Amino acid sequence: KAHHQADDTDGRKSKRITIPLAEPLGGVFNAFLSRLRARDLQELGQYGYTNEQIERIIRAPHVESAYFQGPSDTIACAIWFDALTPKALAVSLLATDEWPDVAREVYRWAKTVARPKLVAMGYLRCECRTLAGHEDAIRMLEHLGFTMECRVPQFGATGHAFIQYAWRLNDHVHVNP
């Protein structure tokens, strides 16, 4: 079920899609998780999550979430926001190697749909921790306006360092009263 389709400037197409919660565990999510980028798999391993745990996390209710379909007509990216406090959120994103095909649509959705909606809900801050050296994730976070706050040594399951980024949602956002 496509909610939105956008043409990127280089002719690639991506769609924001809805995954019915009635979808059996496994199925579409297992296929997505089996195709994740190598760095995403490494990062998940440092969090200590199994595929089943990550699938349940993705399918859980979130403050805001979206799935983006790539050229293979399967999920290429999942992004979700969860409340940490009444004013702060944690954001998570997983992607397959089709990330370049959906990246612009994910950026567009995050800036024009998610951010204003989260600000209108009263959230002021969004945090994300990423594995040190996960360059695709770092570029995406910085492109969206996240700033690096700190390095978190020995955060991962085997002692890998993570970097914490934050996005002040109310910076340069007009919200109608």
Side-chain angles (χ1 to χ4, degrees):
K1 298 177 182 177
H3 277 241
H4 181 72
Q5 180 170 329
D7 288 319
D8 286 332
T9 56
D10 59 3
R12 293 180 293 200
K13 292 185 181 218
S14 65
K15 295 178 182 176
R16 185 161 48 99
I17 59 174
T18 299
I19 306 296
L21 289 179
E23 183 79 26
L25 288 177
V28 69
F29 289 106
N30 246 356
F32 169 61
L33 293 173
S34 73
R35 296 174 27 271
L36 289 178
R37 298 177 293 187
R39 282 302 256 185
D40 285 13
L41 287 171
Q42 184 181 11
E43 192 166 297
L44 287 174
Q46 289 302 310
Y47 274 107
Y49 294 133
T50 65
N51 275 4
E52 183 177 294
Q53 289 169 318
I54 253 317
E55 181 179 331
R56 290 185 190 283
I57 289 167
I58 292 171
R59 293 173 60 92
H62 304 287
V63 172
E64 182 63 33
S65 64
Y67 307 95
F68 296 84
Q69 181 177 318
S72 67
D73 290 333
T74 58
I75 299 173
C77 176
I79 182 171
W80 63 95
F81 296 83
D82 292 311
L84 293 171
T85 73
K87 296 293 181 190
L89 297 155
V91 63
S92 300
L93 181 145
L94 294 173
T96 69
D97 287 333
E98 290 184 337
W99 169 249
D101 298 301
V102 300
R104 287 188 182 139
E105 182 62 14
V106 174
Y107 292 140
R108 189 177 302 120
W109 174 83
K111 286 185 172 185
T112 64
V113 176
R115 185 177 184 179
K117 182 176 179 180
L118 297 170
V119 169
M121 294 169 73
Y123 292 102
L124 300 175
R125 173 186 174 83
C126 189
E127 296 180 1
C128 182
R129 287 184 197 92
T130 191
L131 188 62
H134 190 168
E135 295 305 321
D136 282 347
I138 291 167
R139 272 192 306 278
M140 187 210 83
L141 292 167
E142 291 176 350
H143 181 78
L144 284 171
F146 280 74
T147 56
M148 187 180 87
E149 289 191 322
C150 64
R151 181 176 166 82
V152 187
Q154 300 180 346
F155 184 82
T158 62
H160 280 73
F162 276 63
I163 300 172
Q164 180 170 307
Y165 280 82
W167 192 17
R168 291 194 333 240
L169 296 171
N170 59 346
D171 282 356
H172 313 292
V173 175
H174 175 74
V175 178
N176 290 327

